[in-house]
Amino acid sequence: MRKKSLDLYWLEAMKQRGHLSDEEQRSYQRLRKGFEGELTFDQLCHQFLENETDYLDDVTLDYYGDVSQMDKIIKNKNIIYLVDIKNYQGNYVYENNALRSEKRIFTNDIFEQARRSRRIFTRLFADYHLPLEIKNVIAFINGQGRITINDELPEIVLNYEEIPMWLMSMRDHEQGQNNDWQKLVQKYQIQFYKNSRFCTKERFKQLKKGIHCEKCGSFSLKTKRYTIQCLCGHTEVKKIGYLRTICEYGLIMHHLPLKRSEIIQFFGKKYSADYIKNTLINYFIPLNMGIKDGRYQNYGRPFDYWFENEDINLDKLVKRKNWQTRF
Ligand SMILES: [Zn+2]
């Protein structure tokens, strides 16, 4: 399943609890639009590709220091398609080796970026003797966006309405059973892009305290014995609400260890300090084993990332929610 970038998660958390600067707001909009475009493309793939299609989502590759980020990689026959998804509105023209819109010429050339990725992947596959051809695909996913290509380009450039046909063109071809390419890509894949933003201690103090509803964002929640209930009708297992909020603190302050006293502050007076302490003891790793200084390892990731391999225990908690709602 496709996940948001840590930067986007961070900006969302800060927006929910305070104000974003103009620059942050612009980045937030841009990242959110990008993510929405990727989800739309995934939906089209789900609709028009065959189930057994060989693909990878969201790959950040580091091949001997050359880093490349791909939204999607699809393999069909002996071709690897590196897909860049662009959620741009308005009219764009590519002419004389430059991309321009009605207003400006882009210095950050998306075609040059795509070619750079192709060079990195070509080198990787050549080094490991995988005989695969690599092609760039640039997909304009926004129905209100359009690109016109006036140069001869080796890249496949698709406007929104051309995407389904292109995906369908990959049907009815014998899919190879060989997954060597995926294993190779995963070998050089970096799992998490570093979060480039920081929250100062002064700014942290200004943030809104408490647990917010995971569905509607409201901070006016009622804590029951085993659940947290929101006026919007959403109910969350109490343990998960606490874990999620501790992770949110960890994400916002990802450059520092988890600090128990600050986490208690982050929850605010409405929430039980003892419950927070126990949750930390049961689910987090002390920074200095043996020394009880209330500091825990901070992975700086939202709940979905942090506990993604512990589904079994958390699933049990979710199942219990149903019979515990009455408390
Ligand atoms: Zn709610």
Side-chain angles (χ1 to χ4, degrees):
M1 180 114 164
R2 192 180 287 280
K3 287 186 181 129
K4 296 171 196 169
S5 66
L6 288 182
D7 270 7
L8 179 54
Y9 266 120
W10 189 92
L11 289 164
E12 264 178 7
M14 294 300 282
K15 192 178 163 73
Q16 200 135 35
R17 293 178 183 270
H19 294 287
L20 297 184
S21 69
D22 288 350
E23 181 277 324
E24 287 170 343
Q25 182 65 28
R26 277 195 301 275
S27 293
Y28 168 74
Q29 299 287 6
R30 186 175 50 78
L31 292 172
R32 210 185 58 165
K33 253 185 112 180
F35 184 67
E36 281 166 2
E38 289 160 18
L39 291 183
T40 310
F41 192 84
D42 288 346
Q43 275 163 17
L44 292 177
C45 288
H46 182 72
Q47 209 177 335
F48 295 106
L49 278 179
E50 283 178 325
N51 288 335
E52 52 275 16
T53 306
D54 229 357
Y55 72 91
L56 286 172
D57 277 343
D58 244 341
V59 173
T60 304
L61 192 80
D62 184 344
Y63 193 51
Y64 294 107
D66 280 329
V67 177
S68 151
Q69 197 269 324
M70 295 315 310
D71 297 326
K72 203 172 197 97
I73 306 176
I74 303 173
K75 178 177 174 279
N76 184 245
K77 292 196 277 187
N78 283 324
I79 305 173
I80 293 278
Y81 296 96
L82 303 177
V83 186
D84 276 305
I85 301 159
K86 300 290 170 200
N87 193 0
Y88 293 174
Q89 246 171 304
N91 291 314
Y92 296 83
V93 178
Y94 194 85
E95 202 169 46
N96 302 324
N97 295 312
L99 179 71
R100 58 185 167 78
S101 68
E102 282 133 348
K103 289 177 203 139
R104 65 188 181 111
I105 292 181
F106 289 79
T107 47
N108 182 9
D109 187 339
I110 54 173
F111 287 87
E112 192 35 56
Q113 266 176 35
R115 283 165 202 161
R116 190 181 157 272
S117 294
R118 193 181 63 212
R119 287 194 291 271
I120 297 171
F121 277 84
T122 304
R123 195 155 61 86
L124 169 68
F125 289 139
D127 288 352
Y128 282 85
H129 309 291
L130 279 187
L132 296 166
E133 189 187 342
I134 296 166
K135 285 191 178 176
N136 287 117
V137 178
I138 297 171
F140 278 66
I141 194 67
N142 196 315
Q144 267 105 48
R146 165 151 295 276
I147 183 165
T148 310
I149 306 287
N150 290 336
D151 289 1
E152 278 287 337
L153 292 178
E155 289 79 25
I156 299 168
V157 182
L158 304 167
N159 278 304
Y160 177 73
E161 72 278 3
E162 295 163 327
I163 296 170
M165 276 300 257
W166 181 74
L167 293 172
M168 282 194 286
S169 75
M170 282 188 273
R171 286 182 167 203
D172 299 318
H173 292 299
E174 210 181 300
Q175 293 290 340
Q177 297 299 312
N178 192 338
N179 274 342
D180 284 356
W181 77 277
Q182 290 205 9
K183 287 190 197 123
L184 181 59
V185 168
Q186 277 155 355
K187 187 177 157 120
Y188 291 98
Q189 199 172 347
I190 342 173
Q191 220 44 267
F192 301 103
Y193 235 159
K194 233 178 145 50
N195 191 339
S196 58
R197 295 173 185 275
F198 299 94
C199 175
T200 60
K201 291 204 163 170
E202 293 70 42
R203 195 171 174 191
F204 174 76
K205 281 183 200 144
Q206 310 298 320
L207 296 179
K208 200 161 179 174
K209 306 292 184 284
I211 301 179
H212 57 76
C213 170
E214 60 174 343
K215 209 170 165 204
C216 76
S218 164
F219 283 84
S220 318
L221 306 176
K222 254 196 184 148
T223 311
K224 302 278 173 136
R225 190 164 162 198
Y226 294 113
T227 60
I228 297 169
Q229 292 175 10
C230 178
L231 285 174
C232 78
H234 184 68
T235 300
E236 189 176 23
V237 175
K238 182 168 151 188
K239 179 71 78 193
I240 292 179
Y242 273 71
L243 286 171
R244 182 170 59 80
T245 306
I246 293 172
C247 294
E248 196 178 314
Y249 165 85
L251 170 72
I252 290 173
M253 302 302 277
H254 60 92
H255 56 300
L256 297 172
L258 294 181
K259 213 172 155 195
R260 188 176 57 207
S261 57
E262 280 193 16
I263 292 172
I264 291 170
Q265 264 184 50
F266 188 68
F267 274 76
K269 291 193 181 72
K270 242 178 85 180
Y271 294 94
S272 155
D274 283 341
Y275 199 89
I276 296 168
K277 279 180 202 166
N278 288 329
T279 308
L280 283 168
I281 291 168
N282 292 329
Y283 291 88
F284 294 84
I285 303 161
L287 203 57
N288 305 304
M289 285 292 189
I291 305 164
K292 291 190 178 116
D293 63 354
R295 293 194 306 158
Y296 294 82
Q297 271 183 30
N298 187 2
Y299 297 137
R301 293 168 202 168
F303 176 71
D304 302 357
Y305 281 103
W306 203 313
F307 288 96
E308 79 185 325
N309 299 321
E310 294 177 45
D311 295 346
I312 314 136
N313 289 336
L314 295 174
D315 268 357
K316 260 191 226 153
L317 285 173
V318 172
K319 279 192 197 109
R320 272 162 60 184
K321 180 175 87 174
N322 298 329
W323 58 265
Q324 279 164 348
T325 341
R326 59 202 159 94
F327 290 104

